Amino acid sequence: MTTYFSETTNYYKEDNPEQLLKKYGSPLYVYSEEIFRKRCKEMATLVPYENFKVTYSIKANSNLSLLKIAKEEGLHADAMSPGEIFVLQEAGFKSDEIFYISNNVSNEEMMYAIDRDIVISVDSLSQLEVYGKIAPGKKVCVRLNPGVGAGHHEKVITAGKKTKFGINLDKIDKIKIIAKKYNLTICGINQHIGSLFMSGKNYTESVENVLIQAKKFENLEFVDFGGGFGVPYKKQEGEPRLELQQFGQNLGKIFDEFAKEYGKKIIFRIEPGRYIVAESCILLGKVYTKKSNYEKLYIGTDLGFNVLLRPAMYDSHHEVEVYRNGKLVKDEQTENVSIVGNICETGDVLIKDRDLPIIEEGDIIGAMDAGAYGYSMCSNYNNRLRPAEVLINKDGQSSIIRRRDTLEDLLQNF
Ligand code: LLP
């Protein structure tokens, strides 16, 4: 039997999807404050270690209202660009709550963080040299490649042998030589093995690998192991959640042992993005067309890849729910369809050949788990307007947390 996410979580509370689209227009990113806070808490308490800290990876979703909630939940944050630093400061994060993970950046971008006393991670020997030249005598963090990767698609595996990221473990001596030359203190090391693992095995292995190397640095204040914590995108099929209890306990033991040997309870951090925000969002869109082209049945919607890029980019799976007259349509009767958007490309496919409840023109489609890398990867391709974002609070009331683009927005840079 199919389980319906919005039903089991009482997701929409006061308003149903139809009312929401009437109020705010379509397509629409709809967030649940309750679920967002729950995931923040689960991560914050993952590891029983005194100096354990979570930095939310805001590339997954940097909506200002959500950032403020993450801050209230006690999370710190990582940034990948001056733009992300800028919005984090706007949301109230202090310099020591932000970690800048740089990758192939200009001197000006490094200075943006240095001027704001934000710790930077550099991820090549070449950038360590640059950092040394512009900020001699300062603290810096280096990103290592632990040799083990993980992820849902080769495009998001960020460690191991086939990626641009990190400094190989056999280059530690060179890191030290450059640090000495510029009187830099290596205050932290970080890594990120990739995005979306559903078993903690590779992550734990990479933690062990990196900690062997960490002992070679005398002045560490923190080690950051990156994100990648997966969420079950196939909930309707009963895909289990990532097992957190044992995973967290294991990490706790490893951290305690390291602290004992190192002689200092340094800070250990993780950097989840997806886990915090993916499941707190359903993306709503409208069905305008139903047609068959040769043998295939197409459902035409306003959910183009300008709105949700992940399926076109990574062949990723999002479950969908269908709503009619404000009510969930269950799959007593199904047909095989592809759900497509309104973008002028054949690759504009949200759902490919899936058995779904019979969908009619005028229905509303909800794409589950759209919170992570949904809005943050939206674009104005085809000069389409990026959607609005709405938050349903604990009491069930909805409010707008980002307005929809306007036609005038398309002209604002000219
Ligand atoms: N830390 C670093 C250095 C990262 O590069 C990333 C993600 C994270 C943390 C957070 O990873 P997460 O916990 O969200 O898996 N657009 C792709 C995912 C790209 C991930 C990029 N880096 C997607 O839609 O699946």
Side-chain angles (χ1 to χ4, degrees), residues 15-215:
D15 290 330
N16 65 48
E18 190 170 288
Q19 289 162 324
L20 286 167
L21 290 196
K22 256 199 200 119
K23 270 195 208 168
Y24 305 106
S26 178
L28 187 69
Y29 276 96
V30 182
Y31 296 87
S32 152
E33 179 174 354
E34 194 174 284
I35 297 176
F36 185 78
R37 285 192 189 271
K38 185 168 171 210
R39 299 299 176 230
C40 288
K41 288 188 173 72
E42 282 174 4
M43 284 286 108
T45 53
L46 177 70
V47 183
Y49 172 81
E50 199 180 314
N51 291 330
F52 170 66
K53 201 74 214 164
V54 175
T55 58
Y56 169 44
S57 192
I58 75 161
K59 61 183 77 63
N61 190 314
S62 54
N63 183 291
L64 212 53
S65 301
L66 297 179
L67 294 183
K68 286 179 184 162
I69 298 175
K71 171 136 178 68
E72 267 174 34
E73 290 294 334
L75 305 193
H76 290 182
D78 80 45
M80 281 300 292
S81 67
E84 289 192 346
I85 293 174
F86 178 73
V87 292
L88 278 168
Q89 293 200 307
E90 208 50 39
F93 285 82
K94 306 264 175 318
S95 292
D96 62 358
E97 296 169 339
I98 302 173
F99 181 40
Y100 181 27
I101 303 177
S102 73
N103 178 239
N104 309 329
V105 301
S106 66
N107 295 16
E108 291 73 24
E109 290 202 358
M110 276 192 196
M111 282 312 297
Y112 189 89
I114 294 166
D115 285 345
R116 286 161 182 76
D117 271 334
I118 289 167
V119 173
I120 305 184
S121 144
V122 293
D123 96 341
S124 62
L125 295 177
S126 126
Q127 293 247 290
L128 186 59
E129 277 276 351
V130 172
Y131 185 90
K133 279 184 195 141
I134 63 178
K138 291 238 183 208
K139 288 179 183 177
V140 68
C141 169
V142 287
R143 176 167 177 171
L144 300 180
N145 178 344
V148 194
H152 68 89
H153 189 279
E154 65 178 28
K155 287 183 185 154
V156 301
I157 297 174
T158 45
K161 296 201 170 79
K162 292 183 179 163
T163 175
K164 66 172 177 169
F165 292 107
I167 303 175
N168 294 349
L169 299 183
D170 59 7
K171 300 221 169 77
I172 303 253
D173 289 346
K174 296 212 167 79
I175 295 174
K176 291 187 148 196
I177 291 167
I178 299 171
K180 197 158 174 225
K181 182 164 149 200
Y182 297 103
N183 193 24
L184 298 172
T185 305
I186 307 292
C187 65
I189 50 184
N190 70 306
Q191 65 166 22
H192 173 66
I193 61 170
S195 194
L196 208 166
F197 55 77
M198 290 308 286
S199 134
K201 191 175 156 287
N202 277 19
Y203 194 85
T204 308
E205 196 181 319
S206 74
V207 165
E208 285 170 328
N209 287 2
V210 155
L211 288 183
I212 293 170
Q213 308 305 320
K215 290 180 192 142

